[in-house]
Structure formats: structure tokens, C-alpha cells
Amino acid sequence: TLTIGVAALPAAALANFQSATEAYARGDYSAAEPEFRRLAEKGNPLAQVYLAVMYERGQGVEQNHRHAVYWYRAAAGQGVAEAQFNLGLLYAKGFGVSRDHVTAARYYRAAAEQGHPGAQLNLGVAYETGRGVPRDPVAAAGWYREAARQGNAAAQFNLARMYSTGKGVGRDDAAAFGWYRESAEQGHAGAQFSLAMAYEKGRGVEA
């Protein structure tokens, strides 16, 4: 499911866009693709994202990562966070473009600064590992926290791990326990294991 807001469109174009999104949602890609393409070619960033996704996944069109990059880049240039995030993923994987972690991190940052939790998580990973940006555990913890506060289970787990080891933050077993629990409650297997270990060792466990 795509989580993209509806841009300001003329009434007729908005009706056509909504019709295309409804067709997409029910899996009728052959009906959705022509309208998304028509709007995308007129510069509508939301249609550009949908068309990029369809090329990336091979939905109603032949899978083509280069075309996906083209349309993501068009929407990313208009400030659409979802496009910036997805473009970052393609650069990180080297799909449709040469692998480039520096560029991936740049797009993650653009989306993260707009509040995109997946981008915040990935930017945190980039800072923790030094992939595409200088290694900086403090910055990593900061971005993990931003995503964790939005309920991203992987970010909650990573933030808990950093509190547990004192990496990038002051060591705080109670904070680690709290974030492990938040993540575990969403089904994150690593967090569930770490939470069990915390209970077994009495580390950070609330009285």
C-alpha cells in the first residue's frame, strides 16, 4: 500500500487520479497505468510515484528499474518523501543505477527531514555503519529515536540496542528495556529475544 497524500489537482484531474488509485488498489493495473502515465507526464508528482512503483514491481508494465528511477527522481525533485526514500533504496541496492551509498544517504536524509520513518531508520543505519556518511553513533541514535517515536519497530530495536551498549547514548538499561518492549510488542523477533534476556538477567526491568 502506498502512503502518499493527494496533491492539489483540478477537479477533473483529481477524479481521474482517484479513479486510477482505486484501480491500482484492486489490482487492475492495466486500467491504472494509462491515467498515472498521463498525469505523470504532466508533472503530477503523486502519479509519478505510482508509475515508478509499477515499474519497480512490474505491475501492469514490464519491470524496469531504470524507468522506476526516472519517475522516482522526477517526484523526488518535487519534494515527495516517499519518492526520495524509494530512490535511496534503489541507489543502495544498485537497481536501475550504479550502487552509490552516498547518494542513497542523501535521499534518505531528504525524506527523513520530512518525517519519513523508513528513511529515518535507514539514515540511522548509515550513520551507525558509516555507509555513505561518516560514522557517527550519536547521529545514528538520534535518527533511530525519530523513527522509534513514530512506531518503527526496527528503529525501536536499534535504539534499545544502543542504550544497552552505551553506543551513541549514555548506557541506560531501563531505556533499553522500554524500547525493546515497544519493538517486541510489534512482533520484532530480535527485540523479543532481547526482552527475554533482560527479564532473565533483571537488566532494566521495572519493579
Side-chain angles (χ1 to χ4, degrees):
T1 303
L2 297 182
T3 54
I4 308 167
V6 176
L9 292 172
L14 177 58
N16 291 338
F17 179 79
Q18 290 178 332
S19 176
T21 60
E22 290 168 3
Y24 181 91
R26 65 176 180 266
D28 188 356
Y29 305 129
S30 62
E33 185 271 337
E35 188 58 38
F36 283 143
R37 184 178 301 279
R38 188 179 69 81
L39 291 169
E41 289 174 347
K42 290 185 175 181
N44 181 267
L46 306 184
Q48 290 168 346
V49 175
Y50 271 100
L51 190 56
V53 169
M54 295 179 80
Y55 273 117
E56 184 178 0
R57 299 176 181 175
Q59 297 172 325
V61 293
E62 184 176 349
Q63 187 178 45
N64 188 314
H65 287 108
R66 289 184 181 275
H67 289 342
V69 167
Y70 174 85
W71 289 113
Y72 279 141
R73 188 178 286 127
Q78 297 190 66
V80 179
E82 188 73 14
Q84 293 164 342
F85 173 63
N86 288 349
L87 191 54
L89 291 176
L90 292 180
Y91 270 103
K93 296 173 182 177
F95 288 175
V97 289
S98 298
R99 180 174 290 178
D100 184 340
H101 291 295
V102 172
T103 301
R106 178 164 58 84
Y107 280 114
Y108 290 152
R109 179 181 299 281
E113 289 176 348
Q114 295 193 66
H116 192 292
Q120 291 169 342
L121 167 67
N122 285 11
L123 188 57
V125 171
Y127 274 115
E128 186 176 3
T129 61
R131 180 170 290 179
V133 292
R135 191 185 301 269
D136 185 341
V138 174
W143 285 112
Y144 288 151
R145 186 177 294 106
E146 291 294 323
R149 286 172 173 165
Q150 296 195 67
N152 186 289
Q156 292 167 343
F157 172 72
N158 287 354
L159 183 58
R161 176 174 48 75
M162 298 188 86
Y163 273 118
S164 180
T165 60
K167 182 180 181 183
V169 291
R171 179 168 175 171
D172 186 334
D173 289 338
F177 177 86
W179 285 115
Y180 279 140
R181 183 171 58 188
E182 291 279 342
S183 182
E185 288 174 352
Q186 296 195 67
H188 190 288
Q192 291 169 343
F193 176 80
S194 296
L195 189 63
M197 291 296 98
Y199 274 117
E200 181 177 335
K201 298 177 180 179
R203 181 173 295 170
V205 179
E206 298 171 350

